[in-house]
């Protein structure tokens, strides 16, 4: 083993929970005043470690996948490696230039043409003008935007945007390329091209790639090695297929029951509240994992503090990319006894939603005649996995969020 | 590899403690980015407008016209024997540069969260580029000034005003204002990243500051008891200096100059320190 290109030594990052989000001067001053007068305890209780003592090293030419659930610390790790934010303690040594693949056209100026944006984006990523001039034609050809080079990028389709962004980054020739989830966009053939380019970059040019994705399939195909983060700590580091298995099995043994009382809320009325949500996956199966085509089911526990009328429980299912796919409420179906004081359990099941395999999140809401009673964003995350039924429907060819049960009736036409 | 000639060093990423001053080497490495930003600022400013760069002239011309009506005709504020059009235009030349540069610098961190949150490059390149690109507006407005000057000089009210020998120091005056607006802007950028209150403050503070500076009135007309207040304002000196160079109608003096330059340097140095202290982790709190 030679000298590692990336060496991470007990890297930690702490966030102060109170300090997250834009604060106003008034808030800070009043907090300071309260603390000075001993009315508030010192704020140390609100610390949150996004990364804790993470150590690993990467050899030149390795392609390393980073896995973990949302909030496990993947983005924080990438942000530190690409120098967007500083660690709280620990150290990372990087022996080469790092380029991170920007999210869809971040840094593009909508009014400028593709040509102008290639230059600016390239320079933001650390290229000199001479570098960009030399690779300009390759970038344009790779992004397939030849006839639109001199069109303002605001007239580009979203596909063209992504292609251009990826093309600029891929032609940077940095020693280390950091890619975060970007392949979720773009059409299938372009995704294939990107994956091919990534393989080229690592195999032929010996460059190092750090790849964060929820797409386990491409992690296995592309990465020789994977890291698994859980609650800010590195829990597995090894060959990609093994780590993916660990992630799917062990890490996925999420608690079937999620206590929602401590979840952050907006200023809802709270005369009644959503207390818990439980996965109703069949016994013997992993909670919050539903094979494709099977009934999606969960149980919600509510508490009504003061009697209300017209109580309705609602939910919305969001895709991993934040698109609202389905929602429904119990309007007019909530029994009267459930609207007086006390707790009740609601079993919700969706036998025919048929979500495509992937990751989803669930928002829950409670309304009454008074208005919003409670609202929990991201109350639960769940996954729909590939099942036998999905293989039969060859749904991996479909990129939609839902695959409805459909009848196709072919009939011979007269003429 | 393209940069074999330039060996890539080892980057150590760890928490920095204390204050950092400028990393000149890094800024130099990113000089191409700086120029591309300058060019982006200029070329994107009036894209998809009918008049394009004509707007550079329209804004000061209209402002001057309004000032002429309100402050000269209605308010009867004297303009030191200079035609009011030239008097206001000269003040606006500098004032516009100050307020634009100050405001774009002050918005650096908050307005670029999307890019700053995704990729590292020296953040100072962004405000520096606006310091440079705003000079284009100054140059175009200077042409307007020259034209009006020529017209007024050939007109019936040609007085004793005109260029003085000190006019060669013109670039120095603009450099002074560039550093001043940059320094104040950096402070505001750092403060706004923490508290949005300052974004609101900056907006109207600039408006008020114009009335506190000798843009629409000459320093010589400031009552004696208000004079110390006018003297504290670091913009008083460059405004008066510019008028004395271009129109022989200003009253700058050494004391004003020393005060203004001291304020500028202190603001600039502390602004750089504060900005760089906030910049390294601001993405966590934004």
């Amino acid at each position: 083993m030679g000298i590692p290109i990336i060496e991470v030594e007990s890297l930690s990052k702490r966030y102060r929970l109170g300090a997250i989000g834009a604060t106003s001067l008034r808030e800070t001053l009043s907090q300071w005043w309260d603390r000075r007068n001993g009315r508030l305890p010192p704020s140390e209780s609100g610390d949150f470690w996004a990364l804790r003592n993470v150590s690993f090293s990467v050899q030149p030419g390795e392609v390393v996948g980073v896995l973990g659930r949302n909030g496990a610390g993947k983005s924080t790790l990438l942000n530190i490696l690409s120098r967007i934010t500083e660690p709280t303690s620990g150290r990372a040594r990087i022996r080469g230039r790092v380029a991170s693949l920007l999210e869809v056209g971040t840094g593009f100026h909508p009014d400028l043409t593709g040509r102008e944006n290639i230059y600016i984006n390239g320079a933001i990523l650390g290229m000199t003008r001479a570098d960009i001039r030399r690779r300009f034609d390759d970038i344009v050809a790779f992004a397939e935007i030849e006839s639109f080079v001199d069109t303002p990028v605001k007239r580009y389709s979203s596909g063209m945007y992504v292609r251009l962004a990826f093309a600029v980054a891929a032609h940077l020739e940095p020693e280390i390329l950091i890619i975060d989830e970007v392949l979720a966009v773009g059409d299938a053939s372009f995704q294939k091209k990107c994956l091919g380019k990534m393989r080229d970059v690592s195999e032929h040019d010996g460059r190092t790639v750090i790849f964060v994705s929820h797409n386990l399939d491409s992690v296995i195909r592309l990465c020789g090695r994977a890291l698994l983060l859980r609650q800010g700590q590195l829990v597995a580091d090894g060959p990609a297929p093994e780590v993916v298995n660990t992630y799917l099995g062990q890490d996925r043994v999420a608690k079937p029951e999620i206590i929602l009382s401590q979840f952050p809320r907006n200023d809802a009325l709270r005369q009644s509240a959503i207390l818990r949500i439980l996965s109703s996956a069949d016994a013997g199966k992993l909670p919050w994992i539903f094979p494709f085509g099977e009934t999606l089911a969960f149980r919600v526990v509510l508490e009504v503090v003061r009697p209300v009328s017209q109580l309705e429980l609602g939910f919305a299912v969001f895709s991993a990319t934040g698109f609202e796919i389905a929602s429904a409420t119990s309007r007019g179906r909530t029994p009267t006894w459930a609207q007086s004081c006390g707790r009740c359990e609601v079993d919700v099941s969706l036998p025919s939603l048929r979500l495509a395999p992937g990751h989803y999140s669930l928002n829950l809401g409670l309304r009454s005649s008074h208005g919003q009673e409670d609202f929990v964003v991201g109350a639960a995350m769940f996954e729909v996995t590939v099942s036998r039924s999905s293989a039969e429907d060859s749904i991996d060819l479909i990129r939609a969020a839902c695959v409805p049960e459909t009848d196709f009736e072919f009939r011979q036409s007269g003429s | 590899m393209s940069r074999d000639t330039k060996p890539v060093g080892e980057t150590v990423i760890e928490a920095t403690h204390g204050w950092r001053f400028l990393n000149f080497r890094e800024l130099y490495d990113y000089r191409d980015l700086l120029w591309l930003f300058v060019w982006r600022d200029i070329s994107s400013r009036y894209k998809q407008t009918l008049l394009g760069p004509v707007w550079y002239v329209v804004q000061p011309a209209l402002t001057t016209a309004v000032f002429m009506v309100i402050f000269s005709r209605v308010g009867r504020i004297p303009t030191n024997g200079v035609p009011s059009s030239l008097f206001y235009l000269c003040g606006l030349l500098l004032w516009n540069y100050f307020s634009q540069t100050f405001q774009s610098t002050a918005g650096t961190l908050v307005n670029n969260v999307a890019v700053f949150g995704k990729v590292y490059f020296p953040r100072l390149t962004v405000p520096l580029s606006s310091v440079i690109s705003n000079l284009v507006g100054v140059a175009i407005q200077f042409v307007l000034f020259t034209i009006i000057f020529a017209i007024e000089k050939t007109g019936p009210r040609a007085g004793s005003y005109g260029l003085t020998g000190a006019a060669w120091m013109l670039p120095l005056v603009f450099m002074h204002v560039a550093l001043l607006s940059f320094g104040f802007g950096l402070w505001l950028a750092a403060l706004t990243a923490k508290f949005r209150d300052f974004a609101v403050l900056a907006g109207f503070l600039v408006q008020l500051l114009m009335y506190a500076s000798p843009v629409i009135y000459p320093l010589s007309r400031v009552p004696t008891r208000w004079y110390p207040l006018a003297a504290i304002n670091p913009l008083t000196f460059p405004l008066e200096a510019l008028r004395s160079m271009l129109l022989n109608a200003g009253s700058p003096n050494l004391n004003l100059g020393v005060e203004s330059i001291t304020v500028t340097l202190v603001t600039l140095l502390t602004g750089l320190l504060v900005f760089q202290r906030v910049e390294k982790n601001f993405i966590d709190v934004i």
Side-chain angles (χ1 to χ4, degrees):
Chain A
M1 283 259 212
I3 307 165
I5 191 163
I6 302 175
E7 238 178 310
V8 174
E9 295 162 37
S10 53
L11 208 60
S12 300
K13 174 83 184 178
R14 180 187 56 206
Y15 287 108
R16 292 230 162 76
L17 280 183
I20 292 178
T23 47
S24 77
L25 192 55
R26 192 174 57 91
E27 255 169 64
T28 306
L29 287 179
S30 73
Q31 270 174 22
W32 170 81
W33 182 254
D34 287 351
R35 204 165 294 144
R36 215 182 82 113
N37 294 333
R39 260 181 270 158
L40 259 185
S43 65
E44 274 146 40
S45 52
D47 284 354
F48 163 72
W49 291 88
L51 274 187
R52 203 154 210 179
N53 272 325
V54 171
S55 305
F56 61 91
S57 61
V58 177
Q59 294 293 323
E62 269 191 293
V63 180
V64 181
V66 181
L67 299 173
R69 310 188 64 139
N70 290 335
K74 298 178 307 247
S75 312
T76 308
L77 178 64
L78 293 200
N79 280 351
I80 292 175
L81 290 182
S82 37
R83 297 175 68 195
I84 286 155
T85 180
E86 283 190 348
T88 309
S89 65
R91 172 179 301 117
R93 284 171 202 282
I94 293 186
R95 302 187 175 90
R97 278 176 308 142
V98 179
S100 33
L101 192 52
L102 303 184
E103 232 168 55
V104 188
T106 317
F108 280 2
H109 193 295
D111 280 322
L112 298 182
T113 65
R115 179 190 305 278
E116 294 165 327
N117 272 305
I118 290 176
Y119 274 91
I120 290 170
N121 218 238
I124 286 179
L125 294 169
M127 282 198 264
T128 63
R129 262 184 290 188
D131 287 339
I132 305 165
R133 205 170 301 130
R134 191 148 15 90
R135 295 192 196 103
F136 188 83
D137 293 336
D138 291 343
I139 294 175
V140 172
F142 187 86
E144 302 164 22
I145 55 153
E146 286 91 343
S147 33
F148 302 97
V149 184
D150 292 307
T151 308
V153 296
K154 64 180 171 190
R155 312 222 191 286
Y156 280 25
S157 70
S158 55
M160 286 160 73
Y161 236 82
V162 188
R163 292 208 298 269
L164 188 59
F166 185 86
V168 176
H171 288 81
L172 264 178
E173 305 192 355
E175 285 77 15
I176 301 157
L177 184 62
I178 294 180
I179 301 177
D180 189 0
E181 293 277 8
V182 79
L183 298 174
V185 267
D187 54 43
S189 73
F190 185 69
Q191 284 193 13
K192 218 168 167 184
K193 199 166 158 185
C194 293
L195 295 178
K197 178 77 186 173
M198 275 174 60
R199 204 172 295 139
D200 272 8
V201 158
S202 60
E203 281 173 12
H204 301 300
D205 309 343
R207 265 174 278 143
T208 311
V209 180
I210 306 275
F211 180 49
V212 173
S213 176
H214 280 297
N215 187 341
L216 301 177
D217 185 47
S218 51
V219 169
I220 293 179
R221 269 190 295 152
L222 279 167
C223 306
R225 179 181 160 201
L227 307 174
L228 174 59
L229 290 172
R230 189 190 300 149
Q231 288 166 13
Q233 284 170 314
L234 185 65
V235 291
D237 176 356
E242 285 174 27
V243 176
V244 167
N245 274 335
T246 316
Y247 173 63
L248 277 178
Q250 211 179 12
D251 200 53
R252 283 290 155 152
V253 185
K255 283 171 285 177
E257 180 177 14
I258 301 167
I259 311 289
L260 300 172
S261 330
Q262 292 105 329
F263 274 50
R265 304 289 218 282
N266 57 0
D267 37 46
L269 285 167
R270 306 300 298 274
Q271 291 186 336
S272 45
I274 302 167
L275 300 178
R276 280 173 288 157
I277 182 167
L278 293 92
S279 166
S280 320
D282 293 346
K285 289 195 180 142
L286 295 170
W288 301 114
I289 291 184
F290 304 94
F292 171 78
E294 286 187 19
T295 300
L296 216 72
F298 54 91
R299 174 177 297 171
V300 180
V301 181
L302 310 175
E303 181 170 41
V304 178
V305 183
R306 242 172 284 162
V308 288
S309 61
Q310 294 169 34
L311 190 73
E312 50 178 305
L313 172 70
F315 70 89
V317 176
F318 284 81
S319 72
T321 47
F323 184 76
E324 186 170 344
I325 294 167
S327 60
T329 83
S330 66
R331 182 176 305 167
R333 283 182 280 175
T334 314
T336 332
W337 61 261
Q339 306 187 18
S340 49
C341 300
R343 290 189 180 194
C344 69
E345 290 180 351
V346 189
D347 279 319
V348 184
S349 67
L350 297 93
S352 59
L353 182 57
R354 289 171 55 96
L355 290 172
H359 293 260
Y360 299 90
S361 73
L362 198 65
N363 289 1
L364 291 176
L366 206 54
R367 287 182 65 82
S368 71
S369 55
H370 302 295
Q372 184 92 277
E373 296 274 351
D374 198 4
F375 188 69
V376 193
V377 176
M381 311 280 179
F382 63 90
E383 186 181 356
V384 175
T385 52
V386 180
S387 65
R388 207 180 307 122
S389 135
S390 67
E392 282 162 10
D393 293 355
S394 62
I395 71 130
D396 44 326
L397 294 177
I398 296 168
R399 301 192 64 249
C402 284
V403 188
E405 261 180 284
T406 319
D407 290 327
F408 292 100
E409 208 179 311
F410 289 76
R411 228 173 290 137
Q412 210 110 41
S413 159
S415 55
Chain B
M1 204 118 298
S2 63
R3 290 193 186 183
D4 280 344
T5 45
K6 193 157 75 177
V8 188
E10 180 183 287
T11 314
V12 179
I13 299 168
E14 56 189 338
T16 51
H17 299 286
W19 304 89
R20 265 182 314 163
F21 194 58
L22 281 179
N23 186 344
F24 287 105
R25 163 129 217 129
E26 193 182 55
L27 276 177
Y28 181 76
D29 283 344
Y30 276 87
R31 63 192 179 283
D32 276 3
L33 179 63
L34 176 63
W35 290 114
L36 282 164
F37 275 152
V38 169
W39 167 76
R40 176 189 71 177
D41 289 351
I42 297 168
S43 64
S44 68
R45 180 160 302 161
Y46 294 113
K47 278 255 164 116
Q48 215 178 358
T49 58
L50 271 178
L51 298 178
V54 175
W55 281 114
Y56 278 116
V57 175
V58 171
Q59 189 267 342
L62 282 178
T63 315
T64 303
V66 170
F67 283 3
M68 282 166 74
V69 172
I70 295 177
F71 299 114
S72 187
R73 291 282 157 79
V74 180
R76 304 231 165 258
I77 298 172
T79 52
N80 264 6
V82 176
S84 54
S85 57
L86 287 176
F87 185 88
Y88 296 138
L89 213 50
C90 178
L92 283 174
L93 209 58
L94 216 130
W95 173 260
N96 284 343
Y97 178 67
F98 172 82
S99 72
Q100 279 164 12
T101 309
F102 168 75
Q103 284 184 316
S104 49
T105 306
T108 304
L109 293 178
V110 176
N111 296 341
N112 291 288
V113 180
V115 194
F116 288 178
K118 282 287 158 195
V119 64
Y120 175 82
F121 56 91
R123 302 330 190 191
L124 279 173
T125 48
V126 175
L128 274 176
S129 75
S130 66
V131 168
I132 300 169
S133 65
N134 284 336
L135 285 172
V136 172
V138 172
I140 295 176
Q141 286 164 30
F142 203 78
V143 174
L144 175 71
F145 178 84
T146 317
I147 294 170
I148 307 277
F149 186 87
I151 295 171
E152 291 282 2
K153 257 315 197 195
T154 51
R157 287 181 300 139
S160 61
Y161 60 87
L163 279 184
T164 58
W168 65 269
M169 289 197 290
L170 199 82
L172 290 181
V173 174
F174 278 97
M175 204 154 105
H176 180 176
V177 175
L179 297 180
L180 185 66
S181 47
F182 187 54
F184 274 109
L186 289 178
W187 263 103
L188 249 298
L191 290 169
T192 326
K194 292 238 178 210
F195 309 109
R196 289 305 147 78
D197 306 64
F198 286 96
V200 186
L201 186 72
F204 77 86
L205 205 68
V206 166
Q207 267 182 325
L208 294 183
L209 188 62
M210 193 190 81
Y211 295 102
S213 310
V215 176
I216 47 172
Y217 52 86
L219 180 65
S220 54
R221 302 295 295 197
V222 173
T224 338
R225 63 192 166 107
W226 292 110
Y227 185 84
L229 218 58
I232 289 175
N233 182 352
L235 277 163
T236 303
F237 174 72
L239 280 164
E240 287 295 315
L242 186 70
R243 274 202 192 108
S244 102
M245 287 171 194
L246 294 180
L247 299 166
N248 196 14
S251 41
N253 59 49
L254 189 65
N255 284 341
L256 281 179
V258 170
E259 187 272 344
S260 177
I261 289 170
T262 312
V263 171
T264 303
L265 290 180
V266 171
T267 317
L268 180 68
L269 294 181
T270 53
L272 281 169
L273 291 174
V274 172
F275 179 85
Q276 296 193 88
R277 173 129 189 172
V278 167
E279 154 218 277
K280 63 181 187 188
N281 274 329
F282 92 102
I283 220 82
D284 301 339
V285 295
I286 204 84

